[in-house]
Amino acid sequence: MNDSPERISLATRIRNNFLTGLIICAPLAITIWLTFSFIRWADSWVKPYIPARYNPENYLDVAMPGLGMVIAITLITLIGFLGKNLIGRSIVSFGESVLHRMPLVRTIYKSLKQIFETVLKEQSTSFKKCGLIEFPSPGSWALVFISGDAQGEIAARLNEHGEEMVCVFLAPTPVPTAGFLMFVPRSKIVMLDMTPEEGAKLLISGGLLAPDYRPKAGPTVISSNVSPLQGT
């Protein structure tokens, strides 16, 4: 005798439909809100410095959201283009030499420049890989982002023990903006195939959004029942 299927109450159906709609609408609404918030932030920084005669909003009498961001992107691109030629490099070098003579400013500028060069450099390998390390105790594994090989004095000191050290960033859940900078032996890291973006999703979601994984195909095994001379 087959059991009759359990009937779902009306309240449960309404709750399930609401949760489904929330899953669909919430990410979309938050994305739109963050996008427009960033655009308004960029406009608030740039628009006040646009001369009235060059501001198209004064002629069209219509608000143009994103105008400041477009102008900022254009100016930054233009500065990057000019900074690649001889005259531009000379101006940049002169400006940096002035900043390097200022005690407090030079420390801040050098640190920020090094961070941006490390993150935005095309050939950089920073945060392009994910891995697992045993943390906080043996048998417990934590997700880390690989920064690269240890360098400078830290590398010299740690490599004296005959172990190649790697710089990793251990981020907490669900806010990965803070964390621990750790130097771990390369042999203690389990490298992963997932991208840093997938690792960040896994981290922020608390393990709920695990990326799809397809194991690499192993070597083809020829069945022993098939004779290599079959058909001859």
Side-chain angles (χ1 to χ4, degrees):
M1 182 176 179
N2 295 330
D3 296 334
S4 59
E6 183 181 355
R7 298 185 60 182
I8 302 177
S9 64
L10 178 61
T12 302
R13 291 181 181 179
I14 294 176
R15 184 197 64 182
N16 293 342
N17 291 336
F18 172 77
L19 294 178
T20 302
L22 186 63
I23 293 174
I24 296 173
C25 296
L28 180 62
I30 294 174
T31 301
I32 294 174
W33 177 76
L34 289 175
T35 301
F36 277 95
S37 298
F38 178 77
I39 291 175
R40 287 194 297 267
W41 175 80
D43 289 345
S44 65
W45 276 86
V46 178
K47 280 186 177 181
Y49 299 99
I50 302 177
R53 68 175 68 180
Y54 299 116
N55 192 342
E57 292 184 352
N58 296 332
Y59 302 98
L60 300 177
D61 198 22
V62 176
M64 300 179 62
L67 176 64
M69 186 176 66
V70 172
I71 295 176
I73 293 175
T74 303
L75 288 176
I76 292 174
T77 305
L78 181 61
I79 292 173
F81 172 76
L82 296 176
K84 290 184 176 181
N85 57 42
L86 180 60
I87 299 177
R89 287 198 300 268
S90 301
I91 296 175
V92 172
S93 299
F94 173 75
E96 289 183 343
S97 64
V98 174
L99 292 175
H100 290 167
R101 294 190 181 97
M102 302 179 181
L104 179 61
V105 175
R106 67 185 179 188
T107 303
I108 299 174
Y109 174 75
K110 289 177 65 176
S111 301
L112 291 175
K113 183 177 180 181
Q114 185 176 7
I115 291 173
F116 275 89
E117 285 181 345
T118 303
V119 174
L120 300 179
K121 191 176 180 181
E122 294 180 359
Q123 292 82 11
S124 175
T125 58
S126 300
F127 298 117
K128 288 187 177 179
K129 295 181 180 179
C130 295
L132 295 173
I133 63 171
E134 287 189 296
F135 182 88
S137 60
S140 300
W141 295 87
L143 178 68
V144 294
F145 300 93
I146 310 300
S147 299
D149 297 336
Q151 298 179 1
E153 181 182 0
I154 294 178
R157 296 289 186 180
L158 295 178
N159 290 345
E160 292 177 354
H161 303 285
E163 188 77 53
E164 187 178 1
M165 307 301 291
V166 178
C167 178
V168 302
F169 177 68
L170 175 62
T173 300
V175 183
T177 54
F180 299 97
L181 175 64
M182 306 175 67
F183 298 92
V184 184
R186 186 180 296 274
S187 60
K188 301 295 184 180
I189 302 176
V190 178
M191 302 302 299
L192 301 176
D193 294 332
M194 68 174 64
T195 63
E197 291 78 11
E198 294 173 338
K201 292 179 183 178
L202 178 66
L203 191 70
I204 295 173
S205 66
L208 297 177
L209 299 179
D212 296 333
Y213 175 67
R214 293 183 178 180
K216 297 180 181 179
T220 303
V221 179
I222 301 177
S223 175
S224 58
N225 297 327
V226 180
S227 173
L229 300 179
Q230 184 176 357
T232 57

